[in-house]
Amino acid sequence: MPTIPAHAIGGVITGWGTALPSKIVTNDDLSKTMETSDEWIRERTGIHRRHIGGSTAELSVESGRIAMAMAGVSPDQIDALVLSTTTPDRQVPATSATVQNLLGLKCGAFDINAACSGFVYGLVVAHGLIAMGSKKVLLIGTDTLSRITDWTDRNTAILFADGSGAAVIEATTGPTQLLGWDLDADGSAEELLYAEIGGNIHMDGKEVFRRAVRIMVDSAQKSMQIAGVTAKDIALIVPHQANTRIISAACDRLGIPMERTSTVLHETGNTSSASIPLALFDAADGGPMSGRTLHEGDLVLVVGFGAGMTAASAVLRWNGKGLRA
Ligand code: UT7
């Protein structure tokens, strides 16, 4: 388990933004085209509706622009763009290249794909870039899962949706925001959740559910141990927004009550790379969807899991607009 070297240059989130397509698909809409019901989807997943539409680049540009405006940084000041996505617009080039151009950035840009854990992977990568001398990194998590969903398969179509969340992370002269992190993967489980190139998502939902709880708890405990904190210190947990029952079972095992959990999946469905930033920045914005509010100094635990099967977590000290380098 890597610990963060005491002398490493740290980072702080100075701006954030989110984007959801305007088209809303309700559970009732789905029940008109497949054998399901609003009641079943709400009870078994917690999802009420989801947003569908747009390309990965379009949603990324929207959230990225908002994050840069909030941070007060111009496109030429960004040193690197990291785009987490499992649904790139093209096989080649990386969608980050398209986004880099549309945002007018003058820096390196690359995609990372760690499925629904991707934003947390990106968070760690962004802090690594800052430790190596980058001053301002734009991190975006975007997925347009509706494009790889079989809309006749009730096992997956009720879950997946589209969205984006972005953060400007800047080098800081003050204390770093990232206190502990953990990244994990288990490729032996890849058949549980996959899409062939050009194909749709296939999922063994029950087995993914079972493993998700275990790997989220395991990863979260590692991050907390590295950060030197315990569950009682965590003001807010921001889990991957896949299923309320998964979140509730993981929080239960971690000893973190649901009142300290940010969930937006009732409004968003499972948006993969966008799921954690949508729930995190909702709380940072005072909780219009989650009803949760982040306060200066709060300890936040972000934890995801996904295809691969990846897991990732991090403990952050929320210092909003902390000191810039
Ligand atoms: O980012 C990671 C993405 N993946 C996940 O997080 C998926 C994790 N898994 C899950 O969230 C859940 O396993 C599902 C939501 C996919 C399914 O919930 P479940 O509680 O595991 O349902 P189940 O597959 O055990 O099915 C229970 C019943 C079955 O009927 P019988 O055999 O009891 O008569 C299913 O045929 O519910 C039926 N069913 C449905 N009924 C209405 C399954 N899907 C549906 C549906 N609507 N959409």
Side-chain angles (χ1 to χ4, degrees):
M1 292 197 296
T3 51
I4 299 167
H7 58 274
I9 301 164
V12 62
I13 294 175
T14 56
W16 57 87
T18 59
L20 288 169
S22 54
K23 183 179 174 189
I24 293 174
V25 175
T26 65
N27 294 342
D28 281 332
D29 291 333
L30 293 179
S31 70
K32 288 176 192 140
T33 57
M34 67 185 77
E35 207 175 313
T36 190
S37 66
D38 177 47
E39 189 190 5
W40 192 96
I41 300 171
R42 280 180 192 239
E43 274 178 13
R44 309 299 282 189
T45 72
I47 297 167
H48 298 183
R49 58 187 70 83
R50 71 282 294 143
H51 294 248
I52 301 292
S55 70
T56 293
E58 283 165 355
L59 293 172
S60 301
V61 167
E62 189 179 338
S63 67
R65 212 166 254 150
I66 297 168
M68 287 196 295
M70 180 178 176
V73 302
S74 56
D76 59 326
Q77 290 179 298
I78 298 290
D79 295 319
L81 168 64
V82 182
L83 173 62
S84 161
T85 186
T86 198
T87 47
D89 291 336
R90 287 174 152 175
Q91 177 77 49
V92 177
T95 304
S96 49
T98 312
V99 175
Q100 185 248 25
N101 178 45
L102 292 173
L103 285 176
L105 309 183
K106 309 277 179 245
C107 61
F110 58 98
D111 288 10
I112 56 175
N113 178 355
C116 307
S117 308
F119 189 83
V120 183
Y121 266 71
L123 195 65
V124 175
V125 169
H127 282 84
L129 289 167
I130 285 168
M132 286 293 102
S134 292
K135 290 275 190 277
K136 299 179 199 311
V137 179
L138 179 59
L139 168 65
I140 307 179
T142 306
D143 266 304
T144 47
L145 292 174
S146 67
R147 297 185 309 161
I148 60 164
T149 298
D150 175 355
W151 288 97
T152 63
D153 174 16
R154 70 176 185 173
N155 184 39
T156 52
I158 57 160
L159 299 174
F160 298 123
D162 307 335
S164 178
V168 173
I169 306 173
E170 298 191 48
T172 178
T173 51
T176 186
Q177 170 183 262
L178 183 66
L179 306 181
W181 57 271
D182 172 67
L183 305 180
D184 191 22
D186 175 9
S188 72
E190 72 175 298
E191 297 306 321
L192 297 179
L193 181 53
Y194 69 91
E196 298 293 353
I197 290 173
N200 288 326
I201 302 175
H202 297 268
M203 181 179 75
D204 178 345
K206 261 196 180 329
E207 189 55 20
V208 170
F209 190 123
R210 204 178 62 78
R211 291 184 188 225
V213 175
R214 181 162 42 83
I215 63 179
M216 281 172 85
V217 170
D218 184 52
S219 183
Q221 281 170 340
K222 284 181 188 155
S223 281
M224 287 193 287
Q225 192 187 333
I226 292 164
V229 304
T230 64
K232 70 174 176 12
D233 303 314
I234 301 295
L236 191 74
I237 175 168
V238 183
H240 171 41
Q241 308 288 303
N243 185 318
T244 315
R245 291 187 295 134
I246 295 177
I247 294 172
S248 161
C251 287
D252 201 42
R253 288 193 199 178
L254 285 167
I256 299 176
M258 284 300 273
E259 299 76 61
R260 284 194 266 139
T261 306
S262 181
T263 56
V264 297
L265 84 173
H266 51 292
E267 295 289 338
T268 64
N270 179 346
T271 57
S272 194
S273 295
S275 136
I276 285 177
L278 284 172
L280 176 63
F281 301 137
D282 183 82
D285 286 334
M289 289 191 280
S290 65
R292 305 285 179 260
T293 307
L294 267 178
H295 301 102
E296 195 75 9
D298 277 353
L299 277 185
V300 186
L301 170 64
V302 292
V303 55
F305 71 92
M309 275 195 70
T310 59
S313 61
V315 175
L316 303 173
R317 171 81 62 192
W318 186 255
N319 40 10
K321 289 198 159 239
L323 293 173
R324 291 169 173 174

